[in-house]
Structure formats: C-alpha cells, structure tokens
Amino acid sequence: MMELAEMIKLARGEEEVDLLLKNGRVINVFSGDVHEADIAIADSKIVGFGNYTAKQVIDLDGSYIAPGFIDGHVHIESSMVTVPQFARAVVPRGTTTVIIDPHEIANVLGLDGIRYMLESSKYNPLSVYVMLPSCVPPTHMETAGSELLWYDLTVFANNPWILGLGEMMNYPGVLARDPIVLDKLRAFSGQTIDGHAPGLAGRDLSAYIAVGIRSDHECTRLAEAREKLRQGMWIMIREGSTAHNLAELLPLVTPQNSRHCLFVTDDRHPADLLDEGHINFLIKKAVSLGLPPITAIQMATINTAQYFGLKGTGAIVPGFQADLVIFDDFERFNIQQVYRDGQLVAEHGKLLYVPPEKREVPIRGSVNINWEGIDLRIPAESTRAKVIGLIPNQLVTNCLIEKVRVQDGFAVADTTHDILKIAVVERHLGSGNIGKGFIKGFGLQRGAIASSVAHDCHNIIVVGTNDQDMMTAIREIGIMRGGLVVVDGGQIIGRLPLPIAGLMSDRPIEQVRGTMSQLLEVANHIGCVVEDPFMALSFMALPVIPELKLTDKGLVNTTQFAIVPLFEP
Amino acid sequence: MMELAEMIKLARGEEEVDLLLKNGRVINVFSGDVHEADIAIADSKIVGFGNYTAKQVIDLDGSYIAPGFIDGHVHIESSMVTVPQFARAVVPRGTTTVIIDPHEIANVLGLDGIRYMLESSKYNPLSVYVMLPSCVPPTHMETAGSELLWYDLTVFANNPWILGLGEMMNYPGVLARDPIVLDKLRAFSGQTIDGHAPGLAGRDLSAYIAVGIRSDHECTRLAEAREKLRQGMWIMIREGSTAHNLAELLPLVTPQNSRHCLFVTDDRHPADLLDEGHINFLIKKAVSLGLPPITAIQMATINTAQYFGLKGTGAIVPGFQADLVIFDDFERFNIQQVYRDGQLVAEHGKLLYVPPEKREVPIRGSVNINWEGIDLRIPAESTRAKVIGLIPNQLVTNCLIEKVRVQDGFAVADTTHDILKIAVVERHLGSGNIGKGFIKGFGLQRGAIASSVAHDCHNIIVVGTNDQDMMTAIREIGIMRGGLVVVDGGQIIGRLPLPIAGLMSDRPIEQVRGTMSQLLEVANHIGCVVEDPFMALSFMALPVIPELKLTDKGLVNTTQFAIVPLFEP
C-alpha cells in the first residue's frame, strides 16, 4: 500500500510515476462520458489524469480504456476448475474482480471449503470477494457435508475479502420466520445480503426485502424484474451457461434506474468461458441488443462496486485500483490489454501473469461412501411409479406416473420406454443413504452416467440402464475422489476426475473443456439424447426447483416440499 | 426497532399495519419511474407495497409521494437558530435528513460544540448526521476556541450519527503533505471524507482526490464541476444564501452521471428558509430549469444516501425508514404532508410534531474577552494604508492602497471617502489579540456594526466610524454573550443576541428572522449601503478567500497566505 504522502507526491507530478497510458479514450463511469485522457499509474493505483513523467509510457492510439470488469455473482465451482484456472480464463477477457458465493464447496466441505476458496484466490491477477453461503445445507430433505449456522459464518468477520451473506435461497424459510434463517439475517444486519427468490412477488417479496435482502439474480421475466426493482432490489442480470436472462431483462434498464442493474454469470462452464467469454460477452451482447455502451460498462463495473460497497474499484479515477481493460471498439470488442493493480497481466487474450510461486493449497478428499450399504435394487411395491420427467434445457421437471418394468420382484430400467433408473448416493457422512427412482428423457440404451456434481449437496447422482454399470460408475467416482464418468458394459469409456471437493479439476481449464467434450460424445454413444447429460443430471437432485426430484433421502415432490413414496398404489 | 420476525409478519399482511397510504403516485428512485402504489407502514418502517389491512388508511388521491429530502451538506449554525428551530423550518418543507458539519461551533467550543449539536439533534423529527470538522482551527493566521487533531475526532468513533470527516478546506495542507492534515485523512481512511476545493484542477486535484476525498460542494463553474466529476468526485450542487450554483451547474447533470450529483445548501439564512424553502426549493428550481423531476428527486434523496452509505433511507422501499413527502405536482410543489419514521410530522406547512419533553441542552457561554487589553486606536505609521475593498455580494475582496486620515497621530475613519475602521477582537482565549485595519464599501456615516459571527473562528468583528461606538458594540456583544449589534451615537439601536456559541439564537426562527430584518433596517439608518452588512462582515475575517482579510492576528494577504503590515511605506 502506498503511503498518503507518497501518493500526493506522485499525483502532483513531483516524482516519476510507473506508467502513463497515453491517448486512450477513457470510458468514465463517474461522469458517464467518454473523453481522451492520459492515465498515470503508480504502484497499484491510478494517481491522476494529465501530463506526467513516467518510467514507462504506452500509447493507446485511441483505444478505449474501461475499468476492469466485475462479475457480481458467480460460483467458480461450476466452472469445474480451480480459482487460478478460472482467473487464467477470465482475466484476459477483462474481468479483474469477481464476487463469489462458494456455496457448492461449502455444502461439501463446510468452513474448510470456504477457507480453500479464499486461500486459492490469493496470488492470482483477480480480486475474489466472497459472499458467505447462507444455505448449507439447502434443505432438510437432503444430506450435505456440513451445516453452517450463523455463528459458524461469523468466524470470517473482519476478513476484508468477505462482503456479506450470499444468496438467501431459503425464501420459504424467511417467510416462515425459520429461526435458523433469521439468526443469519441478524448476524449480517447492515451488511450486504444477496437474494435468490425466483418468482417471489407482492407482499411476500416485500417481506423478503424488508429484512434487508437487497439483490436478486433469479429474475427470468421482465415484469418480475420490474417489481423487484421497484421494491428496492438491485437487479443482477444473469447470462450464465444454464440461465440466459439478458435478452429478456434488458428492456428493464433505463437511464433513471441503470445504476441499480448489474451483470452476473452465476454459473459458467469451461467451454462457454473459453468460446464466448465472461463479462465481456455480456457487455458485447447487451450493446448489440441496444444498450448504450457507457451504461453497459457501468453495469459491469461501478454499479457492482457500489452495490457491494467496494470503494476503490470499478472506475478510472485517482486513488482507485489500476484495474483496466483496453479494447478496440464495442462491435468487435477485442480486448487488447488488461491491467490489474497497475500490472499488465494479459495481452491479446494471452495471460502474462506469472504467480510468485507454485502454491498448492491443501484440501482433503471429499468422497466418503458407505460402500457396504450400497444396494441399487428397488423392490417393486407396485407396477406404477412416479417418474421424473426431464424437460430439455430446463431445470424444472414433470412428475409423471408410469408403468415400470418388474423383474424378479424388482423394478428395473426399461429402455424401450426410456424409463431409466436413477440413484443418489450420499457421499459426505458415509451414512449409506441412497435415494432411488426412475427418470424419463435421457434416452440411454446401454451403460450408465454418474457425477459427483449434483446441486446443491453434491452427492453422487447416477442414471443408468442396469445396476452393474451404475455401480461401476459410482465406484469410479470413488476412485477418482469425485468426478464425471460414463460406463458402458462394465467399461469406463469416459471420465473427468474432480478431486477438489468432487466439484473441481486440478487440471488446466482447456484440458477440462476437452475432456468434457469427449464425455458428451461417449454419452451419445450409449444413446444419450440430452445435449449435456451432466448438466441435466446435476439439477435432478435439487429439491428447490419443481416438480419431482431425487435426493439421498428419496423422491421429493417440491410442491409439497416433502419426501414422497416412489410407487403409486 | 422492529424485530425481524415482526417485520416479516407485517410485510406479509399477517398482522394489521399501522398506516396505509392509498392511491399515491410513488416517485420510485430505485426503478426511476412513477407508479401508483399503496404504501404500508408499521412502526417507523415502510413494510410493503400492496393491499394491507391498516389501523389508519389515508387516501392520497393521486398526490405524489417522494422519499423525505436530504440535505447533503449544511452548517446549521449559519441559520442562527438551534437544531430544533432549524427542524421546525425545514421539516414542513420536506427535509427529513440533513448531514451537518458543525464546523462553526467546533471552532468556538471544540468537542463540546460538536457534542452540543449531536445532543440537541435528538428528539426532533429530523435525522441529523454529522461529518466531523476537519479544520479546527482553519488556519494558523487566526485564533480559534479549540484545536482538534485526529485523535480528538476519534472520540466519536462508533457513534452511528457520525459519517466521516467533514469538508477538507485545507487543500493547500493536503497538497503540502501537512502531517496534521495527513493524520486526519489516515484516521478516516475508508470512511466518507468531504471535500472543499474551490478552483482546484489538474494534477493537484488528482492528488486531493487520490487520498480519498470524494465530494466537492465548492464548484462555481461548469467546467470545474465537470473535471471534478470526471476525476471521481460526487458533485454537491449548492444553492445557499450566499452561494448560488444551481443554474450554472445544472447542465452538468446527464442521465449517465446524475447518480453522482446531489443537492446541498451549505448555509441558509432564516429568511431564505422561511420564504424560499430548503431542499424543496432546489428541487422546484431545478425542475423549472429543465431537470427531469425523477432525477431531481433522486438528487435530493437516494444519491445523497448512497454517497454517505446511509442504507435505510432515501427511497420508498420495504425495510426503509418511512420518511415521506406528499405533494401536489412539480410546478406548484405544495408540500401537503411530511412523514418521518412513519409519523405524520407536518401538514400544509404546519409542524405537528411535539417533542417528548422540554429538553434544554446545557452549553457554556463562549465570549471570553480580555477587556483590559482592548485598544482600538491605530498609531499612524504613514498616511498610506492597505484597505479592504468590499465587493458587493461577493466573498472576495480587493486589496486597495488608500490615503488614510490621521488625527493626533492616530489613523482614523474617514466617512467622506468611505474608509471605515474595522477590528477583530479575539473572544475565545482572552488573549487580548486585536486585528485592526480599514475597509471601504460599507458606507456608514455614523455609529458601528459588530458581530460575533465571523467565519471561521468567529471572533468579534466590528466596523465603525469612531472608536467609542465600536467599543460600545463590542461591549454589547459581551453582554449578550454573542450576537449582532448596531450602535449609533453611543446607543444600541439594534441587537440580536446569539448566546449559543455566539452563533445561534435561543429563540424561534420567525423571531430571529424578524430581528434580522430590523437590524438591516437600522444599519441603513446609519448609512450602510451593503444589502446584508452582517453577512458581508462575517466573511471579512475569513483568510482562505482572497484577497485582503483581517483576523485577530492582523491583516492577511491571502495570496501570500501571510500576515502583512497595515501601512505602506
């Protein structure tokens, strides 16, 4: 940190600054205009505009210069790579700050998972702020690896990287005045608390907001976003790998309210990060849809900083962090250079940053299965069962009632009618819990597919045509200490180890993306008709999204918010 | 404070709320639009929008409903009344929150002055937040009643009404890296620090901003405001009794930057408060000059709240303080009702609020003069002297060189050439310091005028035609324990006692305003040609504004920033 007196000397031009960026067109999110200026940088800070003597002078030749982009809400775990690998992907694309909610890893490894994310965020050219996961475990109808109560979260108090309480998904708990939920809200009173309340409206929305929950990234309809904004929420407009809300929500944004709107990705897979991009993709898309460029940059920088109370980032003004993005124009939006803390960290898509040393952050294995208790067989109580009806490209499912095939007293998969077996094997406490059921829509003709990524508790989820292949898949996940796997006739035909909490690879993001492509291909070989069966699978255990889901405790009817019997009388 | 669980019950409509304001047109500063809504209020909070059962229902019949107005920077001392009296004037005009800098009283009574302002702010229908005075004393060329260093100011840490460090007027001290100034900036690092830097530009402005000073209310020219905004300052657009910057600065405001602009009054006299109004006057004037009404309301509410980090005020949304202004339209702008903390506190200009009890906040007398040392005579060292050249309606003065009249070896007033005597008598420490000089432009033919309001140290300043009347005026200020006085031929012909720190009356604001009018009238009787001689006098001791001023230490040439001899060789 530069001392005040030193800063004054440098800003006044009494001493040589480190760097002068000349002839740039500054996108000034404070004054809301674009103007030419020479930007002086010293140490990690912007020190002034104007004529300075500098150790290094770079002529930007009329390129645009914007503040480094900020993603207001992202789960890095969903990119299936470590923070350094995530940084490798997003920094050359202009992102210099992210606000993460390590909700996924916290549901697996609790406080140690959060600590791991904080620790592995150090020494990267990316500022990683954390909103503490508010819903570990997410519901009482599933088994997570941890339970974090309000006093658990307070252990991070005074950590400057912690900004508040992460998305309060348990809005029914808020409305029902669940004491566990209210204790968390009280503990973070006065701090930033993010919301997650799809579809909540009217007085229930008022109640949710009145307790201090001030943002939402779950708006999918324009009218919903408008009501939430009017009731005082900051609207996080999301364009992720799963949810695409930008085009629908953009008409919400007006000059009079744009300050309360910001861009987030929530979840973004390796292929999307590498092919489309990150926040730069949202800016480019928004501008192409008609949003004024300055407004788009504000939504990717200062708005997010102001919502989270980040005082020294999100604008190009004296005293702020020198996080800068240089690009050609808003049509092509080629990012030429990225500066973070005054250092050139990426140029023409290439990361230049070399971490100060090879750091391995220790993290324990997370897959802990009661192998002796696994029995995938389903004794047939009747021939009619509830079947999860997969809907292509949607998180919601149907609750179907179907005739199931019975063999030797057990209900089994029926590939002719595309009714496959599905199971969720608890992998945290070694409890032996297994939820079993049926699903329609995957189309497998042979083998099995399994994953240790299954929102939000991330137990092992497996879908298959026969118990042997399903068991092989589960065993392989055990061997890999988490991961994704495709099995055909007893053979492992595709695998992606995710040894970090069963969620993240320890490999480069390009490799993860390549392996993912292979996995999708081999899944096709065994008949899978779903575009991304792993993504689809990962939401089948999520009991907060309608209508029929499966957890390690059994089949959940989300409308009833209760475990229900598999068989119909 | 309402408990969270209670808030949820009320917001969900499970219990009757206290008040429902029906059929209002809400000026929604969050969504930046106007929409019809019924607003439910319980206790001091807005709990929700919509259909509620309420103990009391008020039909607003299409009137507008805006958040309570906020003045982002005001010295209540300049209104010459106590905080309760100030509240009586501004609350019926829609102001429910002010951010004060008790700079004037702090220069007189130090910490005890600040404590007095905090204490007398309680039990009024007005939220009074405090920015701690950063410049006590303002310069080394004058004597204040106190000296507040960084550690003095930290005694108020954790007081929820303290928001940060007040206007850093000593910008030369910042630029020169004065250790006393830097210590204060360090002590408030990360908190809000207000600026005051008239005319500062370029790299010096960068340096001033880079140390964390994030606002300015001293812009008088559009280009100046534009540069400050571009360098990252929030622009406080001021329309006070002395400074009128609204019309000049309004073209700065665009939809892309309006969030960083806000309204302040700085100083506002009783007559202006009562006749024109307060923040309501600025809104009305700005709209009449073409500012979109919603933007004007945002600049008077949410923008200010966001700049100061006030989380629960400045908008009509669930969970926020129920501070509301009901008015007819933007042309007439008749304020019909004002609610503060959910209570109707004013209706049609009439304050309804009754304080819970008569509270007298004790405060010691502040006028402490070394009577034995007073000698107003000026031994004539030559016949040519520097004379302060008053410029009508401006704070700046000219430095004139004039021939002075000499009688019995003493330089005396010369009414035929309008060269009057002026003196500043130190009144805090009883040091016996007297600054003496001459001034041109008041026009007095007889008598003397004196005041204990003289920025920023508030020593006694007196202008007159003869020593006897000047002495009578000074003595009368002693008798009143501070105040304003007009003397003619040994007689007190007008007086306004200001016993509170020599700055504020203990009387109702209407009475202060009436007495002020009488004072201006009697000043005319003795020949005064200045519209408001007390206002003019009050700036003659202010050594931070060019060009020639007089303090208790002597004549100050502000360009040289030094004490200079009265007589020319």
Side-chain angles (χ1 to χ4, degrees):
Chain A
M1 273 293 288
M2 217 181 325
E3 227 291 313
L4 279 189
E6 183 62 17
M7 172 73 99
I8 294 167
K9 265 190 222 167
L10 289 160
R12 297 191 77 193
E14 295 177 17
E15 280 183 2
E16 210 176 40
V17 300
D18 293 328
L19 176 64
L20 187 69
L21 300 176
K22 280 185 82 79
N23 301 320
R25 281 187 287 175
V26 174
I27 299 173
N28 193 316
V29 296
F30 245 86
S31 55
D33 60 356
V34 177
H35 58 86
E36 297 200 356
D38 299 345
I39 309 288
I41 293 164
D43 199 347
S44 63
K45 297 283 166 86
I46 296 156
V47 298
F49 293 178
N51 186 21
Y52 285 86
T53 312
K55 293 182 186 123
Q56 190 189 2
V57 177
I58 296 179
D59 191 330
L60 297 183
D61 196 21
S63 286
Y64 286 105
I65 172 166
F69 307 145
I70 308 177
D71 187 340
H73 179 73
V74 59
H75 305 284
I76 289 184
E77 301 98 311
S78 295
S79 301
M80 294 188 293
V81 291
T82 58
V83 180
Q85 285 300 319
F86 181 83
R88 272 193 58 224
V90 302
V91 170
R93 290 163 175 84
T95 305
T96 52
T97 300
V98 292
I99 290 90
I100 70 168
D101 176 351
H103 169 76
E104 316 301 343
I105 197 169
N107 268 296
V108 175
L109 288 167
L111 290 181
D112 216 45
I114 299 171
R115 186 204 63 85
Y116 169 82
M117 294 303 277
L118 282 166
E119 200 59 25
S120 58
S121 295
K122 290 177 182 167
Y123 308 109
N124 296 302
L126 181 71
S127 298
V128 180
Y129 290 96
V130 172
M131 297 292 281
L132 291 170
S134 63
C135 302
V136 178
T139 73
H140 63 282
M141 297 174 296
E142 55 197 318
T143 306
S146 184
E147 183 177 18
L148 299 180
L149 300 179
W150 73 270
Y151 43 82
D152 296 308
L153 298 176
T154 59
V155 301
F156 294 105
N158 303 322
N159 182 325
W161 296 101
I162 303 288
L163 301 181
L165 188 64
E167 49 177 324
M168 179 46 79
M169 292 179 288
N170 190 2
Y171 58 87
V174 174
L175 300 180
R177 303 184 284 281
D178 179 337
I180 288 178
V181 172
L182 296 197
D183 278 345
K184 287 177 185 164
L185 294 174
R186 275 184 210 107
F188 286 84
S189 164
Q191 295 182 56
T192 306
I193 306 177
D194 278 344
H196 165 124
L200 202 63
R203 300 188 300 193
D204 283 351
L205 178 61
S206 292
Y208 185 74
I209 293 172
V211 296
I213 301 170
R214 290 280 156 210
S215 71
D216 189 88
H217 57 267
E218 289 290 336
C219 299
T220 50
R221 290 169 302 106
L222 183 58
E224 177 186 4
R226 177 161 292 132
E227 182 183 0
K228 284 176 174 170
L229 182 62
R230 281 182 172 174
Q231 289 219 30
M233 280 185 148
W234 295 62
I235 304 301
M236 296 178 164
I237 296 182
R238 173 177 59 180
E239 190 79 358
S241 287
T242 319
H244 303 275
N245 309 128
L246 183 65
E248 168 74 17
L249 299 185
L250 213 51
L252 176 73
V253 182
T254 71
Q256 277 72 39
N257 68 30
S258 68
R259 71 171 97 171
H260 297 124
C261 302
L262 49 113
F263 289 138
V264 305
T265 63
D266 203 359
D267 299 300
R268 206 136 172 94
H269 297 162
D272 292 337
L273 283 178
L274 296 174
D275 296 346
E276 291 181 339
H278 189 228
I279 294 296
N280 61 323
F281 172 72
L282 276 74
I283 297 169
K284 190 178 175 182
K285 183 165 177 179
V287 171
S288 78
L289 290 169
L291 191 69
I294 288 177
T295 306
I297 297 291
Q298 286 175 323
M299 288 171 65
T301 58
I302 188 77
N303 298 8
T304 318
Q306 289 183 347
Y307 169 68
F308 286 105
L310 295 173
K311 289 194 175 173
T313 193
I316 304 176
V317 296
F320 272 41
Q321 262 177 253
D323 294 351
L324 306 167
V325 184
I326 318 292
F327 61 94
D328 51 354
D329 57 51
F330 279 96
E331 291 71 45
R332 288 170 297 186
F333 211 56
N334 286 316
I335 292 174
Q336 298 161 336
Q337 290 190 324
V338 180
Y339 293 83
R340 195 247 178 184
D341 275 357
Q343 303 297 315
L344 179 66
V345 291
E347 198 159 23
H348 297 298
K350 195 167 169 286
L351 196 75
L352 303 178
Y353 179 88
V354 181
E357 57 183 71
K358 175 84 180 147
R359 264 181 69 85
E360 287 284 353
V361 183
I363 184 162
R364 54 176 296 111
S366 71
V367 178
N368 180 27
I369 293 171
N370 180 345
W371 292 108
E372 290 179 0
I374 297 189
D375 181 355
L376 295 174
R377 291 177 302 172
I378 302 175
E381 294 173 19
S382 82
T383 56
R384 282 163 48 81
K386 298 188 188 75
V387 171
I388 300 171
L390 191 73
I391 306 171
N393 300 315
Q394 291 208 36
L395 308 190
V396 297
T397 61
N398 289 322
C399 177
L400 311 172
I401 309 293
E402 300 276 343
K403 190 173 178 330
V404 290
R405 198 173 137 213
V406 177
Q407 220 171 28
D408 303 331
F410 294 102
V412 296
D414 176 0
T415 54
T416 49
H417 297 97
D418 186 24
I419 293 176
L420 303 178
K421 254 176 104 165
I422 184 166
V424 174
V425 180
E426 193 276 314
R427 71 162 173 107
H428 305 299
L429 314 179
S431 65
N433 283 356
I434 308 181
K436 292 175 272 193
F438 294 96
I439 189 163
K440 192 179 175 74
F442 269 91
L444 298 196
Q445 292 300 318
R446 317 189 297 271
I449 298 175
S451 171
S452 59
V453 179
H455 297 286
D456 285 330
C457 284
H458 303 293
N459 287 305
I460 293 174
I461 190 161
V462 56
V463 62
T465 57
N466 65 83
D467 290 0
Q468 292 73 19
D469 282 344
M470 289 170 77
M471 198 58 217
T472 303
I474 296 167
R475 281 215 190 87
E476 186 61 19
I477 287 179
I479 290 165
M480 296 188 291
R481 293 178 296 138
L484 314 180
V485 64
V486 181
V487 174
D488 183 13
Q491 301 299 311
I492 313 296
I493 59 169
R495 69 201 286 274
L496 172 61
L498 300 174
I500 300 165
L503 300 173
M504 289 176 278
S505 169
D506 54 359
R507 298 306 163 99
I509 187 168
E510 296 82 357
Q511 192 177 327
V512 173
R513 180 257 184 98
T515 308
M516 265 308 299
S517 302
Q518 291 165 16
L519 276 173
L520 299 183
E521 231 171 85
V522 296
N524 278 340
H525 292 337
I526 59 170
C528 183
V529 296
V530 179
E531 199 180 322
D532 185 340
F534 294 99
M535 199 207 288
L537 260 187
S538 74
F539 292 111
M540 291 306 113
L542 185 63
V544 294
I545 292 186
E547 187 178 359
L548 192 64
K549 295 292 170 80
L550 182 71
T551 75
D552 66 300
K553 294 189 176 177
L555 215 50
V556 174
N557 182 304
T558 63
T559 315
Q560 297 166 38
F561 214 63
I563 306 285
V564 292
L566 172 59
F567 289 99
E568 294 289 297
Chain B
M1 272 294 287
M2 216 180 325
E3 227 292 312
L4 279 188
E6 183 63 16
M7 172 72 96
I8 294 166
K9 264 191 221 167
L10 289 159
R12 297 191 76 193
E14 294 176 18
E15 281 183 4
E16 210 176 40
V17 299
D18 292 329
L19 175 64
L20 187 68
L21 300 177
K22 281 185 83 79
N23 301 320
R25 282 186 287 173
V26 174
I27 299 174
N28 194 316
V29 295
F30 245 86
S31 55
D33 60 356
V34 177
H35 58 86
E36 296 200 357
D38 299 345
I39 309 288
I41 293 163
D43 199 347
S44 63
K45 298 281 166 87
I46 297 156
V47 299
F49 292 177
N51 186 21
Y52 285 86
T53 312
K55 293 183 185 123
Q56 191 190 0
V57 177
I58 295 180
D59 192 330
L60 297 183
D61 196 20
S63 286
Y64 286 104
I65 171 165
F69 306 145
I70 308 177
D71 187 340
H73 178 74
V74 59
H75 305 283
I76 290 184
E77 300 98 312
S78 295
S79 300
M80 294 188 294
V81 292
T82 59
V83 181
Q85 286 300 320
F86 182 83
R88 272 193 58 224
V90 303
V91 170
R93 289 163 175 85
T95 305
T96 53
T97 299
V98 292
I99 290 90
I100 70 167
D101 176 350
H103 170 75
E104 316 301 344
I105 197 169
N107 268 297
V108 176
L109 289 167
L111 290 181
D112 215 46
I114 299 171
R115 186 205 63 84
Y116 169 80
M117 293 303 277
L118 282 165
E119 200 59 26
S120 59
S121 295
K122 292 178 180 166
Y123 307 109
N124 296 302
L126 181 69
S127 298
V128 180
Y129 291 96
V130 172
M131 296 293 279
L132 291 170
S134 63
C135 301
V136 177
T139 72
H140 62 282
M141 297 175 295
E142 54 196 318
T143 306
S146 185
E147 182 177 19
L148 299 180
L149 299 179
W150 72 271
Y151 43 82
D152 296 309
L153 298 176
T154 58
V155 301
F156 294 105
N158 303 321
N159 181 325
W161 295 101
I162 304 287
L163 301 181
L165 188 64
E167 50 177 324
M168 178 47 77
M169 292 179 288
N170 190 1
Y171 58 88
V174 174
L175 300 179
R177 303 184 285 280
D178 179 338
I180 288 178
V181 172
L182 296 196
D183 278 345
K184 286 177 186 165
L185 294 173
R186 278 185 207 105
F188 286 85
S189 163
Q191 296 183 54
T192 306
I193 306 178
D194 278 344
H196 165 124
L200 203 63
R203 299 186 304 192
D204 282 349
L205 178 61
S206 292
Y208 185 74
I209 292 172
V211 296
I213 301 171
R214 290 279 156 212
S215 70
D216 188 87
H217 58 267
E218 289 290 335
C219 299
T220 49
R221 290 168 302 108
L222 183 58
E224 177 186 4
R226 178 161 293 132
E227 183 183 359
K228 285 177 173 169
L229 182 62
R230 280 182 172 175
Q231 289 220 31
M233 281 185 146
W234 295 63
I235 304 301
M236 296 177 163
I237 296 182
R238 173 178 59 178
E239 189 78 358
S241 286
T242 318
H244 302 276
N245 309 128
L246 183 65
E248 168 74 18
L249 299 184
L250 213 52
L252 176 72
V253 182
T254 71
Q256 278 72 38
N257 68 30
S258 68
R259 71 171 97 170
H260 297 125
C261 302
L262 49 113
F263 289 140
V264 305
T265 63
D266 204 359
D267 298 300
R268 208 137 170 92
H269 297 162
D272 292 337
L273 283 177
L274 296 174
D275 296 345
E276 291 181 340
H278 189 227
I279 294 297
N280 61 323
F281 172 71
L282 276 75
I283 298 169
K284 189 178 176 183
K285 183 165 177 179
V287 171
S288 79
L289 290 169
L291 191 70
I294 287 177
T295 306
I297 296 291
Q298 286 175 323
M299 288 171 65
T301 59
I302 188 78
N303 298 8
T304 319
Q306 289 182 347
Y307 169 69
F308 285 104
L310 295 173
K311 289 193 174 174
T313 193
I316 304 175
V317 296
F320 272 41
Q321 262 177 253
D323 293 351
L324 306 167
V325 184
I326 318 292
F327 61 94
D328 51 355
D329 57 52
F330 279 94
E331 291 71 46
R332 287 171 296 187
F333 211 55
N334 286 316
I335 292 174
Q336 298 160 338
Q337 290 190 323
V338 180
Y339 292 84
R340 196 247 177 183
D341 275 357
Q343 304 297 315
L344 178 66
V345 290
E347 198 158 24
H348 297 297
K350 193 166 172 286
L351 196 76
L352 303 177
Y353 179 87
V354 181
E357 58 184 70
K358 175 84 177 145
R359 263 181 68 84
E360 287 286 352
V361 183
I363 184 162
R364 54 176 295 110
S366 70
V367 178
N368 180 27
I369 293 172
N370 180 345
W371 293 108
E372 290 178 4
I374 297 188
D375 181 355
L376 295 174
R377 290 176 303 172
I378 303 176
E381 294 172 21
S382 83
T383 55
R384 282 162 50 81
K386 296 188 188 75
V387 171
I388 300 171
L390 192 72
I391 306 171
N393 299 317
Q394 292 208 36
L395 308 191
V396 297
T397 61
N398 288 322
C399 177
L400 311 173
I401 309 293
E402 300 275 344
K403 190 171 178 331
V404 290
R405 198 174 137 214
V406 178
Q407 220 171 30
D408 303 331
F410 295 100
V412 296
D414 176 1
T415 53
T416 49
H417 297 97
D418 187 23
I419 293 177
L420 303 179
K421 254 176 105 167
I422 182 165
V424 173
V425 180
E426 194 277 315
R427 71 163 173 105
H428 305 300
L429 314 179
S431 64
N433 283 355
I434 308 181
K436 291 175 273 195
F438 294 95
I439 188 163
K440 190 179 176 75
F442 269 91
L444 298 196
Q445 293 298 319
R446 316 190 297 271
I449 298 177
S451 170
S452 59
V453 178
H455 298 285
D456 284 330
C457 284
H458 303 293
N459 287 305
I460 293 174
I461 189 161
V462 56
V463 62
T465 57
N466 63 85
D467 291 359
Q468 292 72 19
D469 281 344
M470 289 170 76
M471 198 60 218
T472 303
I474 296 167
R475 282 215 190 87
E476 186 62 20
I477 286 180
I479 291 165
M480 295 188 293
R481 293 178 298 138
L484 315 180
V485 65
V486 181
V487 173
D488 183 11
Q491 301 300 312
I492 313 296
I493 59 170
R495 69 200 288 274
L496 172 62
L498 300 173
I500 299 165
L503 300 173
M504 290 175 278
S505 168
D506 55 358
R507 297 306 163 99
I509 187 167
E510 296 83 357
Q511 192 177 327
V512 173
R513 180 254 184 99
T515 307
M516 266 308 298
S517 304
Q518 291 164 16
L519 277 174
L520 299 183
E521 231 170 85
V522 295
N524 278 340
H525 293 335
I526 58 171
C528 183
V529 296
V530 180
E531 199 181 322
D532 184 340
F534 294 99
M535 198 206 289
L537 261 187
S538 74
F539 292 111
M540 290 308 113
L542 185 62
V544 294
I545 292 186
E547 186 177 359
L548 192 64
K549 295 292 171 78
L550 182 72
T551 77
D552 66 300
K553 294 188 177 177
L555 215 50
V556 175
N557 182 305
T558 64
T559 314
Q560 297 166 37
F561 215 62
I563 306 285
V564 292
L566 173 59
F567 288 98
E568 293 290 298

